[in-house]
Amino acid sequence: MTPEDYTDNPIIYIKSSADEVVAETTPKLGDDGTLEYVFTGEETDITLYYGTKDDFVSAWYGDGSATKYTIRSAEELAHLATLVNGGNDFSGKTVTLARDIDLGGVQWISIGVEGHPFKGKFAGGQGVTSNDELDCHKVSGLNGDLFGVVEGNGYKTTIQYVTISGGTGRLVNELKSGKVENCMSTAKVDSSDENAAVGGLVGMAETNATVSSSYYYNADSINVPAVGGSGTVTNCFYLAETSTFGSTADENGENGDTGARTAEE
């Protein structure tokens, strides 16, 4: 970096080994064109980003040529929404959450809109670990649907291993095709009569969409089904006053855990 590069008062963002911003400053550029940062406290690993705050927020995406991406903050997740809603559908690409994301205080705009749906793969974690544990990161503080419109080429478009913890809104508003699997939500949604057919986890799943092994549970939205629409739903349940547990089993005794379950169950 040279003195000519150091213009428009850029900020140096410093990230710790936990990928949290620990400082942001505009340090003085030395005569030799270098910047110096002094380690403090317990820091063992840092990353220096030179540029504006927008540069810092978009650093996870790089030049866009990769097929796998990792998101670690609310700002980065919001940047994903900006990219998708602007026409980058992420088809053939995978985005994975590296940690829990708190959207509290963020004016959330859903990922994917009509005309510009999300067509990639989104994972809230790594799935089943070597210890047979499910790695699902939480998204909390939601104030709107996490995904607006999701549509893809068959099952190549997938939303999986995502937990919506509290807040308001759905995991997906409209699932036109593709699948949702191993997800859950405890967020509140509108449970008024006119919206009774709209799901709490997936608002509307169309014919070519599949939702499996997921559930919706919110006491203030009791009796709201997990999934609305005409898509294929297997092994998904929601909180209700009257249980249908076991009654939905097919001739092979499978898929009996689809439908309503009471709090006691």
Side-chain angles (χ1 to χ4, degrees):
M1 187 171 63
T2 67
E4 286 72 22
D5 296 319
Y6 194 69
T7 58
D8 300 326
N9 295 318
I11 298 174
I12 303 302
Y13 290 91
I14 301 164
K15 293 174 68 177
S16 69
S17 56
D19 288 298
E20 298 173 344
V21 179
V22 295
E24 55 180 83
T25 182
T26 307
K28 182 179 179 181
L29 185 69
D31 293 336
D32 60 353
T34 62
L35 291 169
E36 181 179 279
Y37 175 76
V38 179
F39 282 80
T40 59
E42 300 298 322
E43 296 171 7
T44 58
D45 180 33
I46 63 168
T47 303
L48 299 181
Y49 285 93
Y50 167 78
T52 66
K53 186 172 183 179
D54 287 342
D55 294 331
F56 175 68
V57 169
S58 63
W60 67 274
Y61 185 61
D63 63 3
S65 62
T67 58
K68 295 183 179 180
Y69 298 94
T70 302
I71 284 180
R72 298 176 173 84
S73 70
E75 292 80 8
E76 291 178 349
L77 191 60
H79 185 244
L80 172 63
T82 298
L83 291 172
V84 174
N85 298 348
N88 184 345
D89 60 20
F90 275 73
S91 180
K93 299 179 185 295
T94 299
V95 179
T96 303
L97 296 183
R99 59 168 53 85
D100 294 346
I101 303 293
D102 183 3
L103 294 177
V106 176
Q107 188 59 46
W108 181 248
I109 297 176
S110 300
I111 303 168
V113 295
E114 194 66 40
H116 293 304
F118 178 77
K119 294 185 177 182
K121 181 177 180 180
F122 185 91
Q126 300 299 323
V128 180
T129 68
S130 58
N131 296 324
D132 291 329
E133 297 177 348
L134 193 59
D135 174 34
C136 291
H137 291 298
K138 297 178 181 179
V139 177
S140 60
L142 188 65
N143 55 91
D145 300 324
L146 184 62
F147 285 86
V149 182
V150 175
E151 179 181 14
N153 181 14
Y155 294 145
K156 293 181 180 179
T157 296
T158 306
I159 310 296
Q160 60 185 179
Y161 309 128
V162 181
T163 296
I164 304 297
S165 180
T168 58
R170 299 172 176 83
L171 173 66
V172 180
N173 183 295
E174 185 176 3
L175 184 64
K176 291 190 173 184
S177 59
K179 62 181 179 180
V180 168
E181 60 184 14
N182 295 306
C183 294
M184 64 155 285
S185 174
T186 60
K188 183 179 180 180
V189 298
D190 188 352
S191 58
S192 58
D193 291 340
E194 62 267 28
N195 290 318
V198 178
L201 180 73
V202 176
M204 295 296 291
E206 297 187 4
T207 304
N208 294 324
T210 296
V211 184
S212 64
S213 303
S214 302
Y215 70 91
Y216 175 64
Y217 192 104
N218 183 280
D220 292 328
S221 301
I222 195 168
N223 297 322
V224 174
V227 184
S230 57
T232 301
V233 182
T234 58
N235 292 325
C236 296
F237 67 88
Y238 61 93
L239 180 64
E241 296 169 312
T242 303
S243 175
T244 62
F245 179 63
S247 65
T248 57
D250 56 26
E251 59 184 12
N252 297 317
E254 299 177 348
N255 198 30
D257 197 12
T258 294
R261 298 185 70 172
T262 63
E264 289 71 23
E265 293 177 303

